[in-house]
Every structure is written in structure tokens, then in C-alpha cells.
Amino acid sequence: MPTWCPAPIASCTATALLTSSSLSRPFALDAMSGLWYPHASRAHTLAGVAFAASVRRRFLLWGSAGILMCLTLCVLARRSPETLNRWDQVLPIGPDWWRDTAPWLEGPLVWLSFAFGTVASIVGTAVVAGLLLAKRQNRAAIYVVLVVLGTSLVTSLLKRIVDLPRPVVEDPILQYASSAMPSGHASNIAAAATAACVLSAIYLRTRAGRRLVLVVGVLLALVVGLDRLMLGVHTLTEVAAGYALGVGVGLLSAYLFDPWCRQARPTATRRWRSQQN
């Protein structure tokens, strides 16, 4: 069992964001108007409240859809587990199908399980929030804490309510006593990736940088989900419910709580906002 757990994706992404100059200089001077704008082109949706109203409505729509999907799977797991069992047959789980041909995978899979677990999530959240506070990005720090800890709390509550037994596999590598629905690892990594994408949309200047954060987040989430399936500790629908919950909490938090720290030149910002309207 590894004794050290790296921080999840939010920690890595926030470190890159915090080392960039965009946090220390959250506004750029427009050469033509002489006004200061947040780092983003006017074609994008960054505004005086970080995101335009249309973007925030999409946050509300897709965030609510994610929460609804998670709750639907939880209700099915509680009332009609045989339905989920049929869906879960799409992908095999457990080590039986890969242990003989690739026994070397056991070590990395166990490492991933601990590296993106609850302890790593808490440590990563504390590191990211501390770095953001050091850069005086207080609202962004609060947003990260709300997303990650909120997701963990909701996941724990749903696990207690659903109380779905873990999948049964022969000769398991890891065993957990907690409920299976939804997957905590999947919800944690999805929440962290969503928070990283929201912050990158605020602080990264280039579209390529924001796309890179999105791609890395999606890939890490897929790797963590595949890890849960290959170890046999979760089924496909349990992982999907975790993904939906993490993304839903991340987007709804961005809708309800503006993560952008209004620091400088509020008069110019209001003038710019009025121009956009």
C-alpha cells in the first residue's frame, strides 16, 4: 500500500494557474478604449461576474441534469437493482479478465486507488485553497472547497441512503465496507476536474490552455473510473453516478457562487459590463 498520495487534478491545474501571471494581473488593458478587462476576449463569456448570464444558465441546466442523473441511478439501485445489473453487463469488472495476461497492472491500479481517494482529495483541496488564498483569490478558494467537500458530503449521504452492496468478484485485490452507489472516487475526480475547468475559463488567457485543462481532466477521470472497474470495487453505473454527481455539484456551485475575485478597478469593470449589455 503506498504511503504517499498525490493531489488530484485540481491541485495540478491550480498550481499551473497560480504560477501564471494572470492571477497577479487579473485585468488586461485594452489599447483602444483604455479600459481594463478580465483576461479573456470579448467574444468569450467572461464578464463582471466571471460568466455571462447565458453561460450561467447552461451551468444550471447541465449541473441539474448531472444531479438528476445521479439521483435516478441511486433510486434504481435502491428499488430495482436488477435493472442496473443488466446495464452493468456491458463491461466486465474485476481482475479475472486481466490478471493472467497482465499481472503487472495490479500495482499501478492499487496506487491509483489510493492516489485519488478521499485522503488525497482532502489534501489536494487544502493545498489548492491555500495557494489561492496566498494569491488573494479568496472566492476561487471558497469555490474549490465548496465543490470538493460538497461532493464528498453528498456522496457519503447517498451511500448511506442507497446502501448498495459492493460487487462480488473472485479473489479481490481491494475490499471496501462502504456502500457502492455512487462511486466516491469517480465523484471526487469529476468534481475536481470540473472545478479546474471553471477556474481555467476565468484565469487562462488562451483557448488552447483551457482545452488542455479539459482534456487532462477528462482523461484522468476516465483513468480513475477504469481503475474502479478493473479492481472490481464498482460497476459501470456506480462510476457513472459518481461522474454525474461531481460534474453536477461543480457546475451548480459555479452557478450559485461566483468564483471570480473582484480585485481591481471596479469602476472600469462596471463600465465594461454596461457596454456588454
mmCIF file with all atom_site columns, all heavy atoms in Angstrom, residues 146-171:
data_model
loop_
_atom_site.group_PDB
_atom_site.id
_atom_site.type_symbol
_atom_site.label_atom_id
_atom_site.label_alt_id
_atom_site.label_comp_id
_atom_site.label_asym_id
_atom_site.label_entity_id
_atom_site.label_seq_id
_atom_site.pdbx_PDB_ins_code
_atom_site.Cartn_x
_atom_site.Cartn_y
_atom_site.Cartn_z
_atom_site.occupancy
_atom_site.B_iso_or_equiv
_atom_site.pdbx_formal_charge
_atom_site.auth_seq_id
_atom_site.auth_comp_id
_atom_site.auth_asym_id
_atom_site.auth_atom_id
_atom_site.pdbx_PDB_model_num
ATOM 1   N N   . LEU A 1 146 ? -15.988 24.406  -1.690 1.00 0.00 ? 146 LEU A N   1
ATOM 2   C CA  . LEU A 1 146 ? -17.405 24.076  -1.810 1.00 0.00 ? 146 LEU A CA  1
ATOM 3   C C   . LEU A 1 146 ? -17.624 22.874  -2.732 1.00 0.00 ? 146 LEU A C   1
ATOM 4   O O   . LEU A 1 146 ? -18.407 21.970  -2.412 1.00 0.00 ? 146 LEU A O   1
ATOM 5   C CB  . LEU A 1 146 ? -18.170 25.283  -2.352 1.00 0.00 ? 146 LEU A CB  1
ATOM 6   C CG  . LEU A 1 146 ? -18.497 26.417  -1.378 1.00 0.00 ? 146 LEU A CG  1
ATOM 7   C CD1 . LEU A 1 146 ? -19.169 27.560  -2.126 1.00 0.00 ? 146 LEU A CD1 1
ATOM 8   C CD2 . LEU A 1 146 ? -19.375 25.929  -0.245 1.00 0.00 ? 146 LEU A CD2 1
ATOM 9   N N   . VAL A 1 147 ? -16.926 22.873  -3.854 1.00 0.00 ? 147 VAL A N   1
ATOM 10  C CA  . VAL A 1 147 ? -17.145 21.807  -4.839 1.00 0.00 ? 147 VAL A CA  1
ATOM 11  C C   . VAL A 1 147 ? -16.661 20.460  -4.310 1.00 0.00 ? 147 VAL A C   1
ATOM 12  O O   . VAL A 1 147 ? -17.408 19.467  -4.308 1.00 0.00 ? 147 VAL A O   1
ATOM 13  C CB  . VAL A 1 147 ? -16.437 22.150  -6.161 1.00 0.00 ? 147 VAL A CB  1
ATOM 14  C CG1 . VAL A 1 147 ? -16.479 20.960  -7.114 1.00 0.00 ? 147 VAL A CG1 1
ATOM 15  C CG2 . VAL A 1 147 ? -17.090 23.353  -6.818 1.00 0.00 ? 147 VAL A CG2 1
ATOM 16  N N   . VAL A 1 148 ? -15.417 20.411  -3.858 1.00 0.00 ? 148 VAL A N   1
ATOM 17  C CA  . VAL A 1 148 ? -14.831 19.121  -3.481 1.00 0.00 ? 148 VAL A CA  1
ATOM 18  C C   . VAL A 1 148 ? -15.447 18.581  -2.196 1.00 0.00 ? 148 VAL A C   1
ATOM 19  O O   . VAL A 1 148 ? -15.873 17.415  -2.128 1.00 0.00 ? 148 VAL A O   1
ATOM 20  C CB  . VAL A 1 148 ? -13.303 19.250  -3.343 1.00 0.00 ? 148 VAL A CB  1
ATOM 21  C CG1 . VAL A 1 148 ? -12.696 17.918  -2.919 1.00 0.00 ? 148 VAL A CG1 1
ATOM 22  C CG2 . VAL A 1 148 ? -12.696 19.704  -4.672 1.00 0.00 ? 148 VAL A CG2 1
ATOM 23  N N   . LEU A 1 149 ? -15.512 19.411  -1.159 1.00 0.00 ? 149 LEU A N   1
ATOM 24  C CA  . LEU A 1 149 ? -16.085 18.932  0.100  1.00 0.00 ? 149 LEU A CA  1
ATOM 25  C C   . LEU A 1 149 ? -17.592 18.708  -0.034 1.00 0.00 ? 149 LEU A C   1
ATOM 26  O O   . LEU A 1 149 ? -18.136 17.768  0.552  1.00 0.00 ? 149 LEU A O   1
ATOM 27  C CB  . LEU A 1 149 ? -15.790 19.930  1.217  1.00 0.00 ? 149 LEU A CB  1
ATOM 28  C CG  . LEU A 1 149 ? -14.308 20.074  1.597  1.00 0.00 ? 149 LEU A CG  1
ATOM 29  C CD1 . LEU A 1 149 ? -14.166 20.915  2.853  1.00 0.00 ? 149 LEU A CD1 1
ATOM 30  C CD2 . LEU A 1 149 ? -13.657 18.709  1.804  1.00 0.00 ? 149 LEU A CD2 1
ATOM 31  N N   . GLY A 1 150 ? -18.270 19.579  -0.790 1.00 0.00 ? 150 GLY A N   1
ATOM 32  C CA  . GLY A 1 150 ? -19.698 19.371  -1.007 1.00 0.00 ? 150 GLY A CA  1
ATOM 33  C C   . GLY A 1 150 ? -19.976 18.052  -1.709 1.00 0.00 ? 150 GLY A C   1
ATOM 34  O O   . GLY A 1 150 ? -20.902 17.315  -1.342 1.00 0.00 ? 150 GLY A O   1
ATOM 35  N N   . THR A 1 151 ? -19.164 17.739  -2.711 1.00 0.00 ? 151 THR A N   1
ATOM 36  C CA  . THR A 1 151 ? -19.321 16.465  -3.412 1.00 0.00 ? 151 THR A CA  1
ATOM 37  C C   . THR A 1 151 ? -19.088 15.288  -2.475 1.00 0.00 ? 151 THR A C   1
ATOM 38  O O   . THR A 1 151 ? -19.826 14.294  -2.501 1.00 0.00 ? 151 THR A O   1
ATOM 39  C CB  . THR A 1 151 ? -18.360 16.392  -4.602 1.00 0.00 ? 151 THR A CB  1
ATOM 40  O OG1 . THR A 1 151 ? -18.640 17.463  -5.508 1.00 0.00 ? 151 THR A OG1 1
ATOM 41  C CG2 . THR A 1 151 ? -18.497 15.067  -5.335 1.00 0.00 ? 151 THR A CG2 1
ATOM 42  N N   . SER A 1 152 ? -18.063 15.385  -1.654 1.00 0.00 ? 152 SER A N   1
ATOM 43  C CA  . SER A 1 152 ? -17.765 14.293  -0.712 1.00 0.00 ? 152 SER A CA  1
ATOM 44  C C   . SER A 1 152 ? -18.905 14.082  0.270  1.00 0.00 ? 152 SER A C   1
ATOM 45  O O   . SER A 1 152 ? -19.283 12.937  0.573  1.00 0.00 ? 152 SER A O   1
ATOM 46  C CB  . SER A 1 152 ? -16.470 14.594  0.037  1.00 0.00 ? 152 SER A CB  1
ATOM 47  O OG  . SER A 1 152 ? -15.368 14.641  -0.846 1.00 0.00 ? 152 SER A OG  1
ATOM 48  N N   . LEU A 1 153 ? -19.469 15.180  0.773  1.00 0.00 ? 153 LEU A N   1
ATOM 49  C CA  . LEU A 1 153 ? -20.570 15.063  1.734  1.00 0.00 ? 153 LEU A CA  1
ATOM 50  C C   . LEU A 1 153 ? -21.813 14.453  1.088  1.00 0.00 ? 153 LEU A C   1
ATOM 51  O O   . LEU A 1 153 ? -22.463 13.566  1.674  1.00 0.00 ? 153 LEU A O   1
ATOM 52  C CB  . LEU A 1 153 ? -20.888 16.436  2.324  1.00 0.00 ? 153 LEU A CB  1
ATOM 53  C CG  . LEU A 1 153 ? -19.841 17.026  3.265  1.00 0.00 ? 153 LEU A CG  1
ATOM 54  C CD1 . LEU A 1 153 ? -20.232 18.443  3.687  1.00 0.00 ? 153 LEU A CD1 1
ATOM 55  C CD2 . LEU A 1 153 ? -19.663 16.146  4.502  1.00 0.00 ? 153 LEU A CD2 1
ATOM 56  N N   . VAL A 1 154 ? -22.153 14.916  -0.115 1.00 0.00 ? 154 VAL A N   1
ATOM 57  C CA  . VAL A 1 154 ? -23.325 14.368  -0.797 1.00 0.00 ? 154 VAL A CA  1
ATOM 58  C C   . VAL A 1 154 ? -23.106 12.901  -1.146 1.00 0.00 ? 154 VAL A C   1
ATOM 59  O O   . VAL A 1 154 ? -24.019 12.063  -1.026 1.00 0.00 ? 154 VAL A O   1
ATOM 60  C CB  . VAL A 1 154 ? -23.645 15.191  -2.058 1.00 0.00 ? 154 VAL A CB  1
ATOM 61  C CG1 . VAL A 1 154 ? -24.794 14.555  -2.839 1.00 0.00 ? 154 VAL A CG1 1
ATOM 62  C CG2 . VAL A 1 154 ? -24.001 16.623  -1.684 1.00 0.00 ? 154 VAL A CG2 1
ATOM 63  N N   . THR A 1 155 ? -21.889 12.555  -1.559 1.00 0.00 ? 155 THR A N   1
ATOM 64  C CA  . THR A 1 155 ? -21.586 11.155  -1.867 1.00 0.00 ? 155 THR A CA  1
ATOM 65  C C   . THR A 1 155 ? -21.772 10.276  -0.635 1.00 0.00 ? 155 THR A C   1
ATOM 66  O O   . THR A 1 155 ? -22.392 9.202   -0.709 1.00 0.00 ? 155 THR A O   1
ATOM 67  C CB  . THR A 1 155 ? -20.148 11.028  -2.383 1.00 0.00 ? 155 THR A CB  1
ATOM 68  O OG1 . THR A 1 155 ? -19.993 11.804  -3.574 1.00 0.00 ? 155 THR A OG1 1
ATOM 69  C CG2 . THR A 1 155 ? -19.810 9.572   -2.693 1.00 0.00 ? 155 THR A CG2 1
ATOM 70  N N   . SER A 1 156 ? -21.248 10.716  0.496  1.00 0.00 ? 156 SER A N   1
ATOM 71  C CA  . SER A 1 156 ? -21.395 9.937   1.734  1.00 0.00 ? 156 SER A CA  1
ATOM 72  C C   . SER A 1 156 ? -22.857 9.786   2.123  1.00 0.00 ? 156 SER A C   1
ATOM 73  O O   . SER A 1 156 ? -23.296 8.710   2.557  1.00 0.00 ? 156 SER A O   1
ATOM 74  C CB  . SER A 1 156 ? -20.610 10.608  2.861  1.00 0.00 ? 156 SER A CB  1
ATOM 75  O OG  . SER A 1 156 ? -19.231 10.671  2.555  1.00 0.00 ? 156 SER A OG  1
ATOM 76  N N   . LEU A 1 157 ? -23.635 10.859  1.969  1.00 0.00 ? 157 LEU A N   1
ATOM 77  C CA  . LEU A 1 157 ? -25.063 10.795  2.303  1.00 0.00 ? 157 LEU A CA  1
ATOM 78  C C   . LEU A 1 157 ? -25.797 9.810   1.400  1.00 0.00 ? 157 LEU A C   1
ATOM 79  O O   . LEU A 1 157 ? -26.607 8.987   1.881  1.00 0.00 ? 157 LEU A O   1
ATOM 80  C CB  . LEU A 1 157 ? -25.674 12.191  2.177  1.00 0.00 ? 157 LEU A CB  1
ATOM 81  C CG  . LEU A 1 157 ? -27.176 12.304  2.452  1.00 0.00 ? 157 LEU A CG  1
ATOM 82  C CD1 . LEU A 1 157 ? -27.487 11.890  3.882  1.00 0.00 ? 157 LEU A CD1 1
ATOM 83  C CD2 . LEU A 1 157 ? -27.668 13.724  2.180  1.00 0.00 ? 157 LEU A CD2 1
ATOM 84  N N   . LEU A 1 158 ? -25.523 9.877   0.100  1.00 0.00 ? 158 LEU A N   1
ATOM 85  C CA  . LEU A 1 158 ? -26.196 8.961   -0.825 1.00 0.00 ? 158 LEU A CA  1
ATOM 86  C C   . LEU A 1 158 ? -25.792 7.518   -0.577 1.00 0.00 ? 158 LEU A C   1
ATOM 87  O O   . LEU A 1 158 ? -26.616 6.597   -0.693 1.00 0.00 ? 158 LEU A O   1
ATOM 88  C CB  . LEU A 1 158 ? -25.883 9.359   -2.268 1.00 0.00 ? 158 LEU A CB  1
ATOM 89  C CG  . LEU A 1 158 ? -26.528 10.660  -2.762 1.00 0.00 ? 158 LEU A CG  1
ATOM 90  C CD1 . LEU A 1 158 ? -26.065 10.986  -4.172 1.00 0.00 ? 158 LEU A CD1 1
ATOM 91  C CD2 . LEU A 1 158 ? -28.049 10.562  -2.721 1.00 0.00 ? 158 LEU A CD2 1
ATOM 92  N N   . LYS A 1 159 ? -24.540 7.298   -0.247 1.00 0.00 ? 159 LYS A N   1
ATOM 93  C CA  . LYS A 1 159 ? -24.103 5.929   0.071  1.00 0.00 ? 159 LYS A CA  1
ATOM 94  C C   . LYS A 1 159 ? -24.898 5.360   1.235  1.00 0.00 ? 159 LYS A C   1
ATOM 95  O O   . LYS A 1 159 ? -25.304 4.188   1.225  1.00 0.00 ? 159 LYS A O   1
ATOM 96  C CB  . LYS A 1 159 ? -22.599 5.923   0.390  1.00 0.00 ? 159 LYS A CB  1
ATOM 97  C CG  . LYS A 1 159 ? -21.683 5.992   -0.830 1.00 0.00 ? 159 LYS A CG  1
ATOM 98  C CD  . LYS A 1 159 ? -20.241 6.014   -0.385 1.00 0.00 ? 159 LYS A CD  1
ATOM 99  C CE  . LYS A 1 159 ? -19.286 5.984   -1.586 1.00 0.00 ? 159 LYS A CE  1
ATOM 100 N NZ  . LYS A 1 159 ? -19.265 4.659   -2.246 1.00 0.00 ? 159 LYS A NZ  1
ATOM 101 N N   . ARG A 1 160 ? -25.117 6.181   2.260  1.00 0.00 ? 160 ARG A N   1
ATOM 102 C CA  . ARG A 1 160 ? -25.866 5.716   3.430  1.00 0.00 ? 160 ARG A CA  1
ATOM 103 C C   . ARG A 1 160 ? -27.326 5.439   3.079  1.00 0.00 ? 160 ARG A C   1
ATOM 104 O O   . ARG A 1 160 ? -27.930 4.478   3.571  1.00 0.00 ? 160 ARG A O   1
ATOM 105 C CB  . ARG A 1 160 ? -25.784 6.750   4.553  1.00 0.00 ? 160 ARG A CB  1
ATOM 106 C CG  . ARG A 1 160 ? -24.415 6.842   5.216  1.00 0.00 ? 160 ARG A CG  1
ATOM 107 C CD  . ARG A 1 160 ? -24.409 7.885   6.323  1.00 0.00 ? 160 ARG A CD  1
ATOM 108 N NE  . ARG A 1 160 ? -23.132 7.922   7.020  1.00 0.00 ? 160 ARG A NE  1
ATOM 109 C CZ  . ARG A 1 160 ? -22.824 7.153   8.050  1.00 0.00 ? 160 ARG A CZ  1
ATOM 110 N NH1 . ARG A 1 160 ? -23.720 6.284   8.515  1.00 0.00 ? 160 ARG A NH1 1
ATOM 111 N NH2 . ARG A 1 160 ? -21.643 7.241   8.639  1.00 0.00 ? 160 ARG A NH2 1
ATOM 112 N N   . ILE A 1 161 ? -27.900 6.277   2.236  1.00 0.00 ? 161 ILE A N   1
ATOM 113 C CA  . ILE A 1 161 ? -29.310 6.104   1.886  1.00 0.00 ? 161 ILE A CA  1
ATOM 114 C C   . ILE A 1 161 ? -29.512 4.896   0.982  1.00 0.00 ? 161 ILE A C   1
ATOM 115 O O   . ILE A 1 161 ? -30.408 4.067   1.210  1.00 0.00 ? 161 ILE A O   1
ATOM 116 C CB  . ILE A 1 161 ? -29.845 7.382   1.211  1.00 0.00 ? 161 ILE A CB  1
ATOM 117 C CG1 . ILE A 1 161 ? -29.843 8.542   2.214  1.00 0.00 ? 161 ILE A CG1 1
ATOM 118 C CG2 . ILE A 1 161 ? -31.252 7.153   0.667  1.00 0.00 ? 161 ILE A CG2 1
ATOM 119 C CD1 . ILE A 1 161 ? -30.232 9.872   1.599  1.00 0.00 ? 161 ILE A CD1 1
ATOM 120 N N   . VAL A 1 162 ? -28.686 4.766   -0.045 1.00 0.00 ? 162 VAL A N   1
ATOM 121 C CA  . VAL A 1 162 ? -28.855 3.682   -1.019 1.00 0.00 ? 162 VAL A CA  1
ATOM 122 C C   . VAL A 1 162 ? -28.441 2.342   -0.418 1.00 0.00 ? 162 VAL A C   1
ATOM 123 O O   . VAL A 1 162 ? -29.118 1.324   -0.590 1.00 0.00 ? 162 VAL A O   1
ATOM 124 C CB  . VAL A 1 162 ? -28.043 3.977   -2.292 1.00 0.00 ? 162 VAL A CB  1
ATOM 125 C CG1 . VAL A 1 162 ? -28.173 2.826   -3.285 1.00 0.00 ? 162 VAL A CG1 1
ATOM 126 C CG2 . VAL A 1 162 ? -28.516 5.274   -2.936 1.00 0.00 ? 162 VAL A CG2 1
ATOM 127 N N   . ASP A 1 163 ? -27.296 2.329   0.257  1.00 0.00 ? 163 ASP A N   1
ATOM 128 C CA  . ASP A 1 163 ? -26.793 1.123   0.934  1.00 0.00 ? 163 ASP A CA  1
ATOM 129 C C   . ASP A 1 163 ? -26.727 -0.074  -0.020 1.00 0.00 ? 163 ASP A C   1
ATOM 130 O O   . ASP A 1 163 ? -27.246 -1.156  0.255  1.00 0.00 ? 163 ASP A O   1
ATOM 131 C CB  . ASP A 1 163 ? -27.673 0.788   2.144  1.00 0.00 ? 163 ASP A CB  1
ATOM 132 C CG  . ASP A 1 163 ? -27.012 -0.219  3.085  1.00 0.00 ? 163 ASP A CG  1
ATOM 133 O OD1 . ASP A 1 163 ? -25.770 -0.300  3.068  1.00 0.00 ? 163 ASP A OD1 1
ATOM 134 O OD2 . ASP A 1 163 ? -27.738 -0.913  3.822  1.00 0.00 ? 163 ASP A OD2 1
ATOM 135 N N   . LEU A 1 164 ? -26.069 0.163   -1.151 1.00 0.00 ? 164 LEU A N   1
ATOM 136 C CA  . LEU A 1 164 ? -25.925 -0.897  -2.149 1.00 0.00 ? 164 LEU A CA  1
ATOM 137 C C   . LEU A 1 164 ? -24.664 -1.696  -1.883 1.00 0.00 ? 164 LEU A C   1
ATOM 138 O O   . LEU A 1 164 ? -23.577 -1.119  -1.739 1.00 0.00 ? 164 LEU A O   1
ATOM 139 C CB  . LEU A 1 164 ? -25.864 -0.284  -3.553 1.00 0.00 ? 164 LEU A CB  1
ATOM 140 C CG  . LEU A 1 164 ? -25.777 -1.263  -4.720 1.00 0.00 ? 164 LEU A CG  1
ATOM 141 C CD1 . LEU A 1 164 ? -27.092 -2.026  -4.871 1.00 0.00 ? 164 LEU A CD1 1
ATOM 142 C CD2 . LEU A 1 164 ? -25.434 -0.533  -6.012 1.00 0.00 ? 164 LEU A CD2 1
ATOM 143 N N   . PRO A 1 165 ? -24.757 -3.023  -1.811 1.00 0.00 ? 165 PRO A N   1
ATOM 144 C CA  . PRO A 1 165 ? -23.548 -3.828  -1.564 1.00 0.00 ? 165 PRO A CA  1
ATOM 145 C C   . PRO A 1 165 ? -22.530 -3.690  -2.696 1.00 0.00 ? 165 PRO A C   1
ATOM 146 O O   . PRO A 1 165 ? -22.878 -3.419  -3.846 1.00 0.00 ? 165 PRO A O   1
ATOM 147 C CB  . PRO A 1 165 ? -24.081 -5.261  -1.474 1.00 0.00 ? 165 PRO A CB  1
ATOM 148 C CG  . PRO A 1 165 ? -25.544 -5.117  -1.212 1.00 0.00 ? 165 PRO A CG  1
ATOM 149 C CD  . PRO A 1 165 ? -25.971 -3.847  -1.873 1.00 0.00 ? 165 PRO A CD  1
ATOM 150 N N   . ARG A 1 166 ? -21.276 -3.894  -2.344 1.00 0.00 ? 166 ARG A N   1
ATOM 151 C CA  . ARG A 1 166 ? -20.218 -3.871  -3.346 1.00 0.00 ? 166 ARG A CA  1
ATOM 152 C C   . ARG A 1 166 ? -20.327 -5.071  -4.278 1.00 0.00 ? 166 ARG A C   1
ATOM 153 O O   . ARG A 1 166 ? -20.877 -6.117  -3.914 1.00 0.00 ? 166 ARG A O   1
ATOM 154 C CB  . ARG A 1 166 ? -18.849 -3.897  -2.655 1.00 0.00 ? 166 ARG A CB  1
ATOM 155 C CG  . ARG A 1 166 ? -18.542 -2.655  -1.843 1.00 0.00 ? 166 ARG A CG  1
ATOM 156 C CD  . ARG A 1 166 ? -17.978 -1.568  -2.704 1.00 0.00 ? 166 ARG A CD  1
ATOM 157 N NE  . ARG A 1 166 ? -17.725 -0.346  -1.944 1.00 0.00 ? 166 ARG A NE  1
ATOM 158 C CZ  . ARG A 1 166 ? -17.010 0.681   -2.389 1.00 0.00 ? 166 ARG A CZ  1
ATOM 159 N NH1 . ARG A 1 166 ? -16.481 0.626   -3.599 1.00 0.00 ? 166 ARG A NH1 1
ATOM 160 N NH2 . ARG A 1 166 ? -16.836 1.751   -1.648 1.00 0.00 ? 166 ARG A NH2 1
ATOM 161 N N   . PRO A 1 167 ? -19.806 -4.948  -5.503 1.00 0.00 ? 167 PRO A N   1
ATOM 162 C CA  . PRO A 1 167 ? -19.806 -6.098  -6.413 1.00 0.00 ? 167 PRO A CA  1
ATOM 163 C C   . PRO A 1 167 ? -19.002 -7.261  -5.830 1.00 0.00 ? 167 PRO A C   1
ATOM 164 O O   . PRO A 1 167 ? -18.022 -7.062  -5.108 1.00 0.00 ? 167 PRO A O   1
ATOM 165 C CB  . PRO A 1 167 ? -19.135 -5.542  -7.677 1.00 0.00 ? 167 PRO A CB  1
ATOM 166 C CG  . PRO A 1 167 ? -19.257 -4.063  -7.574 1.00 0.00 ? 167 PRO A CG  1
ATOM 167 C CD  . PRO A 1 167 ? -19.239 -3.732  -6.119 1.00 0.00 ? 167 PRO A CD  1
ATOM 168 N N   . VAL A 1 168 ? -19.451 -8.444  -6.156 1.00 0.00 ? 168 VAL A N   1
ATOM 169 C CA  . VAL A 1 168 ? -18.773 -9.655  -5.686 1.00 0.00 ? 168 VAL A CA  1
ATOM 170 C C   . VAL A 1 168 ? -17.879 -10.173 -6.804 1.00 0.00 ? 168 VAL A C   1
ATOM 171 O O   . VAL A 1 168 ? -18.355 -10.476 -7.905 1.00 0.00 ? 168 VAL A O   1
ATOM 172 C CB  . VAL A 1 168 ? -19.791 -10.728 -5.275 1.00 0.00 ? 168 VAL A CB  1
ATOM 173 C CG1 . VAL A 1 168 ? -19.064 -11.996 -4.834 1.00 0.00 ? 168 VAL A CG1 1
ATOM 174 C CG2 . VAL A 1 168 ? -20.690 -10.217 -4.158 1.00 0.00 ? 168 VAL A CG2 1
ATOM 175 N N   . VAL A 1 169 ? -16.565 -10.243 -6.535 1.00 0.00 ? 169 VAL A N   1
ATOM 176 C CA  . VAL A 1 169 ? -15.608 -10.771 -7.504 1.00 0.00 ? 169 VAL A CA  1
ATOM 177 C C   . VAL A 1 169 ? -14.750 -11.826 -6.819 1.00 0.00 ? 169 VAL A C   1
ATOM 178 O O   . VAL A 1 169 ? -14.564 -11.806 -5.594 1.00 0.00 ? 169 VAL A O   1
ATOM 179 C CB  . VAL A 1 169 ? -14.711 -9.645  -8.073 1.00 0.00 ? 169 VAL A CB  1
ATOM 180 C CG1 . VAL A 1 169 ? -15.530 -8.630  -8.837 1.00 0.00 ? 169 VAL A CG1 1
ATOM 181 C CG2 . VAL A 1 169 ? -13.926 -8.967  -6.965 1.00 0.00 ? 169 VAL A CG2 1
ATOM 182 N N   . GLU A 1 170 ? -14.233 -12.740 -7.618 1.00 0.00 ? 170 GLU A N   1
ATOM 183 C CA  . GLU A 1 170 ? -13.372 -13.778 -7.076 1.00 0.00 ? 170 GLU A CA  1
ATOM 184 C C   . GLU A 1 170 ? -11.972 -13.234 -6.819 1.00 0.00 ? 170 GLU A C   1
ATOM 185 O O   . GLU A 1 170 ? -11.419 -12.496 -7.638 1.00 0.00 ? 170 GLU A O   1
ATOM 186 C CB  . GLU A 1 170 ? -13.301 -14.961 -8.048 1.00 0.00 ? 170 GLU A CB  1
ATOM 187 C CG  . GLU A 1 170 ? -14.619 -15.712 -8.212 1.00 0.00 ? 170 GLU A CG  1
ATOM 188 C CD  . GLU A 1 170 ? -14.457 -16.939 -9.081 1.00 0.00 ? 170 GLU A CD  1
ATOM 189 O OE1 . GLU A 1 170 ? -13.296 -17.285 -9.401 1.00 0.00 ? 170 GLU A OE1 1
ATOM 190 O OE2 . GLU A 1 170 ? -15.477 -17.543 -9.443 1.00 0.00 ? 170 GLU A OE2 1
ATOM 191 N N   . ASP A 1 171 ? -11.415 -13.610 -5.700 1.00 0.00 ? 171 ASP A N   1
ATOM 192 C CA  . ASP A 1 171 ? -10.059 -13.208 -5.325 1.00 0.00 ? 171 ASP A CA  1
ATOM 193 C C   . ASP A 1 171 ? -9.852  -11.704 -5.488 1.00 0.00 ? 171 ASP A C   1
ATOM 194 O O   . ASP A 1 171 ? -9.021  -11.244 -6.285 1.00 0.00 ? 171 ASP A O   1
ATOM 195 C CB  . ASP A 1 171 ? -9.042  -13.977 -6.171 1.00 0.00 ? 171 ASP A CB  1
ATOM 196 C CG  . ASP A 1 171 ? -7.624  -13.872 -5.597 1.00 0.00 ? 171 ASP A CG  1
ATOM 197 O OD1 . ASP A 1 171 ? -7.482  -13.428 -4.426 1.00 0.00 ? 171 ASP A OD1 1
ATOM 198 O OD2 . ASP A 1 171 ? -6.673  -14.198 -6.320 1.00 0.00 ? 171 ASP A OD2 1
#
